Structure formats: structure tokens, C-alpha cells
Amino acid sequence: VLTANCATTGANGLDTGALANNTWYHVFLIALAAGATPAILVSTSASSPTMPGSYIYKRRIGSVRTNGSAQFIAFTNDGDYFLWSTALFDVNTTTPGTSAVTSTLTVPTGVNVHAIMNVHITATPNASRVIVSDLAMTDVAPSSGAAAPGATTGGNSAQDGRVGPVTVRTNTSAQVRYRCDVSDGGVTMRINTLGWLDY
């Protein structure tokens, strides 16, 4: 099993510098030559880490994030599947408006991943819908026929609409779009980020 000591730089450590607070790091498998004994390299760059001398091959295998004390946030990993040990509350807004909102999630930056989320909308007293979509898609208003992930409430009294897990591809800034069809003081929009798929 290969491990990285991020208190050092070079093979099996950081490519350069020291661990920073609240920062995404990308983990690479590196080698001197085809078939040679590999090592791990950790970098803030998703595509161009500073390679140790003589190392020429690299492949990004995942990403990790530090907290406010430069410690890696706990997660579970199974191949391309990454799950936070504790879901992160990335959106919690009242009176969200009816125009599209670009929201940043706690998933890797510098690459496109498929964010895994729980989406929740509360509406009192109105029925309400929300649609969550990839920013590469055309922005559309929520409707019963909208072909994208989302959540729907119904009726004409206090309503809770939940859907999850929802998977939506992010841009390289870890962003997705959400859009509600009604907005007032009784409408609250929430997104909990559970993890991501890193294909």
C-alpha cells in the first residue's frame, strides 16, 4: 500500500510547499518509467503537479481536502466513489428567487466530477419545485416535465420536498445550478453534499 507523508516534499509527499487550510489537493500515482516501482504525489494542481526528479509518468487517482487546521477531512473511497464521513451543508437559503443560482459544492475543483447531493425544498403555503442541473445544460424553469434532477412539493399548505441522492456533473469550479419556481419568505432551499463520483 502506497501512502504519502505530506510533511515532506517529493515522491510520496507534496509536490511543493506545505499543507494549507481549506484547500483541495489532487493525488497522483507517479513512476520513473513504465513498470517501475510507483510512488504517490499530492498537489494542488489537477493536471500539472511539480514532478520529482526523474519521474515522468503520472496519473491522477483522486482528490482530498483539508479543513481549517490543514487536516484531511474524513471520507470513504471505493474506486471512483467518494463519500464524506459527514454530509456537508452547502446551500441553505430562504427566499431563493426564481432565477437560476450558481452554487459551489464541497467537491473537488480543477476537474469535473459528479456531485452526489440530497436536495430539499420547503414551501409554505405554496406548492414549489426546484431543478438542479449541470451548468453545461441550457437553463430551464422547473416544471413537471423538466428533464433534470430536482425536488417537488405539492398542494397548497406547508410542504416538504426531498429527493436524493441526486447526481449532477459540476464544472471545474465545483459548481452546479439550481432554480426554484416560486420564492417568498416561506420557501427554503437546501443542498447537502454527500460526496462525488470521480470518473
Side-chain angles (χ1 to χ4, degrees), residues 57-143:
Y57 294 100
K58 69 180 186 296
R59 179 179 179 180
R60 181 183 161 275
I61 57 174
S63 302
V64 292
R65 181 178 168 83
T66 57
N67 61 18
S69 300
Q71 301 165 327
F72 289 122
I73 301 173
F75 64 95
T76 297
N77 169 232
D78 183 4
D80 295 328
Y81 176 74
F82 293 79
L83 181 72
W84 290 123
S85 294
T86 302
L88 300 172
F89 214 174
D90 284 330
V91 174
N92 183 20
T93 184
T94 301
T95 317
T98 56
S99 299
V101 176
T102 297
S103 183
T104 302
L105 305 180
T106 311
V107 297
T109 56
V111 292
N112 299 104
V113 299
H114 292 250
I116 305 170
M117 304 162 280
N118 281 336
V119 179
H120 180 199
I121 187 168
T122 302
T124 307
N126 299 304
S128 182
R129 296 183 178 92
V130 61
I131 189 169
V132 182
S133 58
D134 185 334
L135 286 160
M137 296 179 66
T138 300
D139 173 37
V140 296
S143 71

